[in-house]
Amino acid sequence: MNNVLSRVGTLAAGLALAAALVSPAQAAEPPALGVDTAAAGPLLKIVFGSLQAFDLEESGEDEIRVRIIGQNGAEYLGWPTNGDEADTKAGTCWVWEYSMCTPGSTERAAGSYKSQTTVAGGSFTIEVWEDDIVGDDLLLRIPVTATGGYQDIEASSPTGKGFSYRFVGNLEPA
């Protein structure tokens, strides 16, 4: 019995050492939203274009953030990358890589976002959330299945919810 426990202890110490030797970037997230990239083909990068607030969920300002849910169910913070939320007024259009803002909107540079990758056939969901005192509110959910090449991603909040947002982005070869 002591021999088995000794082997278990040695194995645990080896795993802890291996985990310590992995770079922080490797340890933080899998490379492609939980997809087996070795068997799936070329990587596709998820590109954020812009996010526009037409009508808010709350009065005055919404505090929003973007998450990506991988096909393995893991959640990844997409934006803002500092773990906070972005104060957003009606008519604000956050721009990351390119603008699809409507005329008359207030364009704001969104800064960096945490880019993720997937592969053809891989699926993920982009979600836009509003931080609320009582509980967070889902403003927009965009399920995506990668087709294998350049692919537009665009969605708007469902009508009749009392708020209105539109997200645009794309998938492109990494």
Side-chain angles (χ1 to χ4, degrees):
M1 182 69 172
N2 284 339
N3 193 19
V4 171
L5 291 176
S6 175
R7 287 183 182 171
V8 170
T10 302
L11 178 60
L15 291 173
L17 178 60
L21 295 176
V22 173
S23 74
Q26 290 172 318
E29 299 172 344
L33 297 175
V35 176
D36 180 8
T37 58
L43 290 177
L44 301 168
K45 179 172 69 167
I46 302 167
V47 176
F48 288 11
S50 58
L51 174 66
Q52 186 161 358
F54 295 100
D55 190 17
L56 303 178
E57 195 266 337
E58 294 183 346
S59 62
E61 286 187 346
D62 281 351
E63 298 78 31
I64 60 171
R65 66 182 179 283
V66 179
R67 293 191 302 190
I68 300 175
I69 313 299
Q71 72 182 42
N72 62 353
E75 296 182 11
Y76 304 89
L77 177 64
W79 176 82
T81 57
N82 65 1
D84 205 359
E85 293 89 20
D87 294 336
T88 303
K89 295 181 179 183
T92 300
C93 187
W94 293 100
V95 179
W96 292 282
E97 299 286 335
Y98 57 90
S99 172
M100 293 295 288
C101 304
T102 59
S105 62
T106 303
E107 290 191 27
R108 293 185 64 185
S112 63
Y113 62 96
K114 180 67 175 170
S115 182
Q116 294 289 332
T117 56
T118 191
V119 293
S123 61
F124 59 93
T125 304
I126 298 172
E127 296 181 339
V128 179
W129 287 84
E130 199 280 326
D131 186 32
D132 203 345
I133 294 170
V134 176
D136 294 350
D137 298 317
L138 181 62
L139 302 174
L140 188 55
R141 175 176 281 144
I142 311 161
V144 179
T145 299
T147 59
Y150 185 89
Q151 179 178 341
D152 288 329
I153 301 170
E154 183 174 348
S156 297
S157 301
T159 58
K161 294 287 187 177
F163 53 84
S164 178
Y165 281 81
R166 182 181 68 182
F167 176 91
V168 295
N170 64 52
L171 288 174
E172 59 186 47

